[in-house]
Amino acid sequence: MSRMLEPQQIQASSTAPDFFNLPPPDLFGHRAARLHALAAGHPLGDYLNLVGDLCQVQQSLLDQPPAAPTPNPDRLLLCQQHGLPPLAFDSLVRDGAWQPWLEALLLRYSRPAQPAVQQALATLHDAAADQRKVWALALLSGQYASVPSALVPFLGAALQAAWCHWLLDMPSLALTPCSSLSQCPACGSPAMAGVIRHRGNQAGLRYLVCSLCTCQWHVVRVKCIYCDQSQGLQYTSLATDRHGPGQAPLRAESCPHCHSYLKLVYLEHDASAEALSADLATLALDLRLDQEGYLRQAPNLLLAPGNA
Ligand code: FE
Ligand code: FE
C-alpha cells in the first residue's frame, strides 16, 4: 500500500539534520519560568526559586548586555579554519572578557534574605579579578574542590550569559564535531544533558545542550556519549504516578561499559520541558544513580556537586 508524502516530509527525509542549533533568544527566561513552576511543592523549592531568579537576571544580561570587550574576531576565524571550537572556554576564560558580565550580574541580582547567599555575593563582589579568574577556570575545568561551592551558581550564571551572548553574536558561524561526542563544538565544554526533539524534521533526534554556551549539537541516539558504546544502555527515571513506563519526560541513559550516565529530556512527553531546569528538579535521580555506582560527568554550572 502506498502512502502519499506531504512536500515537507519529502524535504525532511532528504536532508541531513542540522549539526547544531543556536539557543532561542529567550532561553534564560524560559528556564526561569520553568524553575519557578517546578519549585511549587518541590523538596528543593527554595533552591529552584533562587536559581530561577538567577536565570531571570541572565535573560536581562542577554537582552541588555553590559559594556564589555568581545572576543577577537581574527582568533574566532582562525579557530574555525582549524576546526577548533571558536569560543574555546580554556583560553577565553583567561582573557577575562567575561568579567564585566559578572559585575553586571552582581549589580542586577536583588539579594535574597538568606545570609549564606548574601555572604557568597559579598565574597564574589570583593574578590580581585585574578581570584575570580582562578575560580572560573576551576569551575569550567570541573575542579570543584578549588572553587567555594556557594559561589558556583552566580559565577556559572555570569559565564553562561557571556558565552551565550558571544555565540548568538557570531557572524557566519560554522561548527565541526569535536573528537568527543560529549564536547560542545562551539566552546569545547562538556554537555549538560540531552534533548529528544518532537517537532518537524528534528522529531526523534537527540541534541546535546552545552553546559556553558547553551549551543545544541546533534548526536545519534542510543549511544553512550562518553565511550561511544551502544550495547546494554539502560534508561532510568524517577518513579512518579504522573507518567507510565516509557513515558517519563526525563530519563537517564546509563552505560554498563564506562559506568557514566547522561540525563535526557523527552519533549514528546512534556513539550514545555527544558534541560537545565529539568536537571535541577531531578537531583534525586542523580543520588540514586550515584548509589548504584554510576558517575555523573555532565556539569550543571548552577550547581556545585554535592551541594543541592
Ligand atoms: Fe558550548
Ligand atoms: Fe559509556
Side-chain angles (χ1 to χ4, degrees), residues 47 51 139 142-154 156 279-280 283 296 298-308:
Y47 167 69
V51 178
L139 176 59
Q143 292 161 3
Y144 293 99
S146 305
V147 48
S149 57
L151 308 186
V152 166
F154 309 101
D279 176 25
L280 294 180
L283 295 178
R296 174 166 177 152
N300 184 321
L301 297 186
L302 305 189
L303 173 81
N307 278 279

Side-chain angles (χ1 to χ4, degrees), residues 273-299:
E274 180 283 321
L276 180 132
S277 49
D279 176 25
L280 294 180
T282 57
L283 295 178
L285 184 59
D286 295 275
L287 284 179
R288 182 174 145 192
L289 289 165
D290 179 64
Q291 283 164 0
E292 292 176 11
Y294 289 101
L295 175 73
R296 174 166 177 152
Q297 299 203 41

